[in-house]
Amino acid sequence: MRIAPSILAADFANLENEVKDVEPYVDLLHIDVMDGHFVPNITMGPNVVQALKPKTQCELDVHLMIEHPDRYIPDFIKAGSDMISVHVESCPHLHRTIQLIKQAGVKAGVVLNPATPVESIKTILPDVDFVLIMTVNPGFGGQSFIESMLEKIKEVKSIIDAKGLDVKIEVDGGINPETLQKCKEAGASIFVAGSAIFNHEDRKAAIEQLRGA
Ligand code: DX5
Ligand code: ZN
């Protein structure tokens, strides 16, 4: 299992130290990019990815909650992204967008909003490295986990297994030790956690709790 601290919940004025604080316990960092159009919030762009890249050994998992992602993907690749995920709704030519990411040697993921049906990713599944299943509505940290997403995780997992694909399932939103366990049982293996890590003084303990240690 991989835990990806979401820096959205970190202290932005102290980002380097926040990253250093979690780095000994994880190998992945989740970066939430929001444009104020696709979601009702504005966060960070490629310059933040570029600034973090030389400061950490962790892989950078960039979650694009933006319109017209194709316009910005080259900048995020150049900035040093290791994983990039895009929402079904923002990609009229999803296959092309996924290829744009993969051609650069970056892992590509497709994201499902809570109300987006699994059917919408069936055809693209063999082309992606991971599926990100939103377990809250995207836009903000600190929201409550949507329980009905557990069925969706199981559904995606059963399609992946039936087709014999090497596609990982990542979950994002409202992840805490209890909801993580449920998602793991349903078939997820990458767990994004913002407030469950950065809202705690002791990040080591918070991450250990998530791992169920
Ligand atoms: C929400 C973001 C999440 C968010 C998760 O739109 O995609 O990555 O940071 O925050 P928590 O873990 O606090 O729900
Ligand atoms: Zn995210």
Side-chain angles (χ1 to χ4, degrees):
M1 98 158 92
R2 295 182 89 184
I3 298 206
S6 168
I7 62 165
L8 184 63
D11 176 3
F12 278 20
N14 199 16
L15 209 44
E16 182 177 356
N17 289 323
E18 292 281 72
V19 166
K20 292 268 183 278
D21 217 20
V22 295
E23 177 147 45
Y25 321 109
V26 296
D27 61 358
L28 191 60
L29 288 175
H30 186 81
I31 301 174
D32 286 308
V33 178
M34 306 187 190
D35 66 351
H37 293 275
F38 184 70
V39 288
N41 194 6
I42 301 176
T43 56
M44 46 208 149
N47 51 352
V48 175
V49 177
Q50 194 182 348
L52 285 177
K53 190 67 182 173
K55 307 283 185 190
T56 178
Q57 301 284 323
C58 287
E59 282 189 44
L60 301 179
D61 170 30
V62 176
H63 176 191
L64 296 182
M65 287 162 274
I66 61 175
E67 285 179 4
H68 309 296
D70 296 35
R71 289 184 194 166
Y72 305 99
I73 284 168
D75 290 339
F76 282 102
I77 290 169
K78 227 180 291 165
S81 308
D82 298 284
M83 296 165 64
I84 295 178
S85 57
V86 291
H87 282 252
V88 172
E89 296 83 358
S90 65
C91 299
H93 307 289
L94 183 57
H95 184 271
R96 181 185 290 154
T97 305
I98 293 295
Q99 298 312 316
L100 179 65
I101 300 169
K102 290 209 320 185
Q103 274 161 16
V106 172
K107 285 180 207 142
V110 64
V111 194
L112 286 171
N113 271 340
T116 308
V118 171
E119 184 61 35
S120 63
I121 58 159
K122 263 191 185 161
T123 315
I124 199 72
L125 213 49
D127 293 291
V128 299
D129 296 293
F130 64 104
V131 176
L132 171 46
I133 298 179
M134 290 307 301
T135 42
V136 298
N137 286 293
F140 304 93
Q143 304 181 81
S144 299
F145 182 83
I146 302 172
E147 289 283 334
S148 56
M149 293 302 104
L150 292 170
E151 273 310 305
K152 190 187 236 175
I153 298 167
K154 286 183 198 158
E155 197 182 336
V156 174
K157 176 69 175 160
S158 72
I159 301 170
I160 290 170
D161 289 347
K163 292 190 177 182
L165 301 171
D166 181 22
V167 174
K168 303 279 185 278
I169 298 177
E170 178 174 26
V171 286
D172 184 7
I175 297 299
N176 58 39
E178 187 193 325
T179 57
L180 185 150
Q181 197 53 39
K182 291 182 185 173
C183 291
K184 192 177 160 193
E185 280 160 19
S189 64
I190 307 173
F191 306 89
V192 176
S195 40
I197 294 173
F198 288 105
N199 287 4
H200 293 271
E201 281 279 298
D202 187 344
R203 276 70 191 271
K204 180 175 189 239
I207 294 166
E208 277 173 357
Q209 267 178 35
L210 286 168
R211 288 194 196 280

